[in-house]
Amino acid sequence: MRVQVGIIGGGPAGLLLSQILHRGGVDNVVLEARSRAYVLARIRAGVLEWGSVEVLRGAGVGERMDREGHVHDSIGIAWSGRELFLIDTNQYAGRPMMAYGQTNITEDLYAARDAMGGVVIDEAEDVRPQDIDGERPYLTYRKGGELRRVDCDFIAGCDGFHGVSRGCIPGSVLHSVEKVYPFGWLGVLSETPPLDEIIYARHARGFALASQRNPMLSRYYIQCPLDTKIEDWPDDKFWAELKARFPPEIAKRIVTGPSIEKSIAPLRSFVAEPMRHGRLFLAGDAAHIVPPTGAKGLNLAISDVFYLSRALIEHYKGKGRYLESYSDMALRRVWSAARFSWWLTMLLHRFPDQTEFDERARESELDYLSRSEHAKRSLCEQYAGLPFEN
Ligand code: RFL
Ligand code: PHB
């Protein structure tokens, strides 16, 4: 097979890139290691920045999102012993957010790819980028025991944190920066009506978060130790712990019910630089991971794809400037989201070794946030998402 762009990974980054390139006249193929059913069963992010909403609309996959997604403009911070503190992103940053699950986005992207006749090869084993330093890179993979080859002009590594692409960049070129946090998030999805707002709770027992997918689907998280086992968290215990971390007037509004999914994600910050080597370009979790506290992981995957698709489409029109600046431009946004996610994680979580000083400094920071218009504006500007560069 010969295509202009070979894409590794059929998660949100790879599928969206494929969709935008196809609409821009650039032919491509997606090689995904897992089955489609497996990819569609993953429950992950849920909050979209307005810039992401516009990229999805522009890619022709906004219809269901606009129908079923929930536009909201307030984020709440509940701090034990204080009044709930709501910040309006519309007021302070001029734009709302959209609650729409990553699972739905992936479904919409698969449907759009099918409708346009896009090629997504699932259960592609042992995918390997080859000759990324040369003029004629190619991909090899196995399907049903047979070795296959895709020749291409460029390779896009959209294969997530555990993918194969990042490791193809020589160690002498690739620089990785990492911070691992001493806890994870235990997440539960339940078919119950969510709270009206997305509320982040800081509590002596640990962090908790109330989020939503649709009017009858709620997503909740609690901070947990890294060695937590899901079997040790039956639903009743989860709900009791969740409610204990919210102020009583909010806890009593949480509607409980059987969980339909439960999973644990460790928290980490990770950035690999540069995001391009030769003819290989990295996008999404393949290049960076942020702790979910700022709801930035999926939004960064979308902004990388926005920059990369623009660069490739312009390249084929004979204008090459964005291809050269892709890595620097994407990394500026990545680092601002990495910093913001780290800051919100440090502010809202309980750390095993925290001192009284750490706690008092956090309280003072919250006081500042609740009193200062500048601080609110800064939080909202970053939470609602910085604009894309031209
Ligand atoms: P994905 O979604 O990981 O997709 C990568 C795809 O590549 C495939 N793949 C390969 N394909 C071929 N060959 C190989 N060698 C391959 N290796 C891997 C995988 O099967 C997969 O289909 O990355 P992408 O597209 O960059 O999208 C990024 C987002 O998924 C991610 O940033 C967010 O979901 C992060 N994240 C969360 N973000 C939030 O904003 N809020 C959350 O609540 C939230 N929860 C999460 C998360 C990430 C998690 N991970 C990665 C473990 C919960 C979890 C568990
Ligand atoms: C979610 O709905 O899954 C979600 C919302 C906000 C976050 C992280 C995850 O910061």
Side-chain angles (χ1 to χ4, degrees):
M1 190 190 288
R2 158 130 208 119
V3 291
Q4 289 168 310
V5 181
I7 301 171
I8 311 176
L15 292 171
L16 181 61
L17 181 64
S18 170
Q19 172 74 1
I20 299 177
L21 289 181
H22 197 157
R23 285 165 65 96
V26 177
D27 69 343
N28 64 83
V29 62
V30 177
L31 303 180
E32 164 59 49
R34 304 287 191 156
S35 68
R36 185 180 287 209
Y38 181 95
V39 173
L40 289 175
R42 283 195 289 237
I43 312 286
R44 289 185 179 170
V47 180
L48 292 175
E49 297 173 359
W50 209 253
S52 301
V53 167
E54 281 168 356
V55 171
L56 292 168
R57 283 179 183 159
V61 286
E63 200 189 311
R64 180 161 74 127
M65 172 184 73
D66 282 323
R67 212 172 47 241
E68 296 179 11
H70 174 56
V71 177
H72 62 108
D73 50 21
S74 293
I75 40 172
I77 299 181
W79 198 284
S80 36
R82 294 168 186 240
E83 256 178 57
L84 174 67
F85 160 53
L86 283 177
I87 316 180
D88 185 324
T89 62
N90 234 347
Q91 179 188 346
Y92 288 103
R95 50 196 182 275
M97 281 98 50
M98 172 85 85
Y100 190 63
Q102 179 168 334
T103 316
N104 293 4
I105 294 173
T106 313
E107 280 170 7
D108 297 346
L109 283 165
Y110 266 121
R113 294 290 52 231
D114 290 347
M116 282 181 76
V119 185
V120 181
I121 296 172
D122 66 359
E123 298 183 319
E125 292 163 33
D126 198 16
V127 178
R128 290 193 194 185
Q130 314 269 11
D131 279 358
I132 56 171
D133 281 319
E135 288 294 302
R136 298 181 181 282
Y138 59 99
L139 289 162
T140 53
Y141 67 101
R142 285 181 190 282
K143 175 87 182 171
E146 186 191 320
L147 184 67
R148 298 189 188 174
R149 171 177 169 139
V150 180
D151 289 285
C152 43
D153 300 332
F154 300 101
I155 296 174
C158 303
D159 47 353
F161 185 64
H162 300 287
V164 67
S165 305
R166 190 176 64 250
C168 296
I169 301 181
S172 56
V173 174
L174 192 75
H175 180 64
S176 302
V177 186
E178 183 171 39
K179 181 173 177 68
V180 174
Y181 302 86
F183 41 73
W185 281 15
L186 170 61
V188 155
L189 195 66
S190 79
E191 287 171 326
T192 48
L195 297 179
D196 296 336
E197 323 284 353
I198 291 186
I199 302 180
Y200 293 84
R202 167 155 174 107
H203 192 276
R205 301 177 72 95
F207 168 84
L209 169 60
S211 183
Q212 51 192 262
R213 290 292 178 272
N214 65 48
M216 262 314 283
L217 198 54
S218 308
R219 182 72 165 157
Y220 293 101
Y221 299 93
I222 55 173
Q223 173 187 351
C224 62
L226 281 173
D227 57 2
T228 301
K229 294 190 178 54
I230 290 180
E231 317 73 273
D232 296 337
W233 282 89
D235 290 356
D236 288 353
K237 185 173 164 190
F238 178 85
W239 292 121
E241 185 60 36
L242 181 78
K243 287 184 166 211
R245 296 182 185 192
F246 280 94
E249 68 281 8
I250 297 173
K252 70 174 186 253
R253 283 172 26 217
I254 294 176
V255 182
T256 63
S259 68
I260 56 168
E261 195 263 358
K262 217 179 257 160
S263 54
I264 296 176
L267 266 63
R268 131 185 16 238
S269 300
F270 174 90
V271 181
E273 307 166 316
M275 286 170 62
R276 171 195 185 170
H277 179 68
R279 289 183 170 252
L280 171 70
F281 292 80
L282 302 179
D285 280 15
H288 41 74
I289 296 285
V290 289
T293 325
K296 291 287 171 237
L298 174 61
N299 289 295
L300 278 184
I302 294 175
S303 64
D304 288 352
V305 166
F306 169 79
Y307 287 139
L308 183 55
S309 58
R310 180 173 69 179
L312 290 165
I313 291 169
E314 294 268 297
H315 169 81
Y316 284 108
K317 287 183 184 157
K319 304 179 225 163
R321 111 184 140 95
Y322 284 124
L323 223 40
E324 295 311 316
S325 55
Y326 168 69
S327 177
D328 289 344
M329 211 181 252
L331 280 166
R332 278 194 283 277
R333 212 163 187 285
V334 167
W335 270 111
S336 73
R339 191 213 68 83
F340 177 68
S341 307
W342 160 80
W343 171 76
L344 210 53
T345 302
M346 301 300 282
L347 180 67
L348 296 176
H349 288 76
R350 184 177 171 79
F351 283 72
D353 58 352
Q354 72 183 36
T355 61
E356 187 184 350
F357 179 87
D358 299 330
E359 186 57 19
R360 298 292 289 272
R362 284 190 187 108
E363 279 174 15
S364 165
E365 178 126 30
L366 186 79
D367 278 341
Y368 174 57
L369 255 179
S370 58
R371 286 202 215 103
S372 161
E373 296 296 293
H374 296 290
K376 285 181 198 156
R377 202 171 292 283
S378 167
L379 170 69
C380 288
E381 181 182 36
Q382 296 175 83
Y383 193 86
L386 297 174
F388 298 134
E389 284 179 50
N390 274 316

